[in-house]
Amino acid sequence: MMASGQNPESSLVEIIELPQHPFFIGVQYHPELKSTVENPHPVFAHFISAARDYAEQKSAVKNPLLQSEMI
């Protein structure tokens, strides 16, 4: 676990990440308060991008057990 963001006024850790994970981030601040549908906060935009990439990778690998059930 890596403390990747700190409040400059109080020195409290506000963001943590797991660098070896495709997308794991925890934040103490409230990005939803600065986010809209037309202008999402970067945390949400990167989460959607990581989820899309993960889904594309999973769909590229065919599971033989699932394929046999579909026949």
Side-chain angles (χ1 to χ4, degrees), residues 16-57:
I16 60 167
E17 298 179 65
L18 291 178
Q20 67 277 14
H21 193 276
F23 191 92
F24 183 99
I25 185 168
V27 298
Q28 178 64 28
Y29 64 94
H30 293 278
E32 72 277 9
L33 299 178
K34 297 196 178 238
S35 191
T36 66
V37 172
E38 293 178 356
N39 187 22
H41 189 280
V43 167
F44 298 119
H46 290 292
F47 173 70
I48 296 299
S49 177
R52 184 186 61 237
D53 293 346
Y54 179 78
E56 288 172 357
Q57 289 173 1

